[in-house]
């Protein structure tokens, strides 16, 4: 795990909270990963940011649920992805994971789920895995 990820887990009290920047639960902090919020990883070197693992550019997400799910949303609904990202940027700027933002994010996820619940990818696998629906805090 990267040092910035460890630092953010501590700074945002994520271990104690038991959920990430999108309200997804985890069992072990090793399940968590750094998500590039403002400057995508692919653009960081070009922008002179190295790999872009910087506090102001990150959110902590559970790799196998919220992180994967967010990138799936990015592929199928870029506008929705940007709206979710906006709320995580606010959490980052405010230095806390905010329940009101988590509720807004949840509403956006529910919208995506209504639109794409039974959709599949090119390999025939469901876009929305069961864990994307179940591994979240109640709001």
């Amino acid at each position: 795990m990267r040092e910035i990820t460890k630092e953010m887990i501590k700074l945002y009290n994520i271990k104690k909270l038991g959920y990430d920047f999108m309200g997804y639960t985890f069992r072990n902090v090793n399940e968590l990963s750094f998500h590039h919020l403002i400057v995508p990883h692919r653009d960081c070197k070009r922008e002179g940011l190295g790999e872009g693992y910087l506090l102001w550019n990150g959110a902590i997400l559970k790799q196998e649920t919220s992180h994967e799910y967010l990138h799936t949303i990015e592929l199928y609904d870029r506008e929705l992805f940007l709206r979710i990202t906006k709320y995580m940027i606010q959490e980052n700027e405010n230095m806390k994971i905010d329940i009101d933002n988590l509720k807004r994010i949840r509403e956006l996820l529910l919208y995506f789920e209504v639109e794409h619940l039974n959709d599949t990818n090119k390999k025939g696998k469901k876009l929305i895995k069961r864990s994307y629906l179940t591994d979240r805090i109640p709001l």
Side-chain angles (χ1 to χ4, degrees), residues 121-138:
N121 64 18
K122 293 176 184 176
K123 294 181 181 179
K125 294 186 178 184
K126 287 191 148 281
L127 289 185
I128 301 172
K129 297 178 183 178
R130 180 174 172 77
S131 60
Y132 298 172
L133 306 173
T134 60
D135 293 358
R136 310 190 276 214
I137 62 169

Side-chain angles (χ1 to χ4, degrees), residues 12 19 41 75 83 99 117 124 133:
Y12 290 89
Y19 53 85
H41 187 252
L75 287 172
R83 290 174 69 192
I99 289 295
L117 188 60
L133 306 173

Side-chain angles (χ1 to χ4, degrees), residues 4-21:
I4 187 67
T5 306
K6 291 177 189 176
E7 182 182 329
M8 290 179 73
I9 289 168
K10 187 175 181 178
L11 186 64
Y12 290 89
N13 211 19
I14 290 173
K15 187 174 182 178
K16 184 176 179 184
L17 288 173
Y19 53 85
D20 67 14
F21 273 58

Side-chain angles (χ1 to χ4, degrees), residues 75-89:
L75 287 172
Y76 290 87
D77 191 331
R78 177 83 175 152
E79 181 183 332
L80 194 63
F81 167 81
L82 293 172
R83 290 174 69 192
I84 293 168
T85 298
K86 178 183 86 167
Y87 292 122
M88 289 193 294
I89 290 170

Side-chain angles (χ1 to χ4, degrees), residues 51-98:
E51 294 291 319
Y53 291 97
L54 305 163
L55 180 64
W56 61 266
N57 194 38
I60 302 301
L61 299 176
K62 183 178 176 187
Q63 181 60 44
E64 292 188 11
T65 52
S66 53
H67 205 156
E68 286 181 5
Y69 193 18
L70 185 60
H71 284 293
T72 296
I73 293 168
E74 180 182 21
L75 287 172
Y76 290 87
D77 191 331
R78 177 83 175 152
E79 181 183 332
L80 194 63
F81 167 81
L82 293 172
R83 290 174 69 192
I84 293 168
T85 298
K86 178 183 86 167
Y87 292 122
M88 289 193 294
I89 290 170
Q90 286 177 357
E91 290 175 336
N92 185 303
E93 290 173 345
N94 295 334
M95 301 292 288
K96 72 175 203 158
I97 297 175
D98 182 71

Side-chain angles (χ1 to χ4, degrees), residues 2 34 36 39-42 44-45 49-54 57:
R2 295 180 184 278
F34 183 96
H36 291 76
V39 181
H41 187 252
R42 66 183 171 271
C44 286
K45 283 187 181 175
L49 300 173
E51 294 291 319
Y53 291 97
L54 305 163
N57 194 38

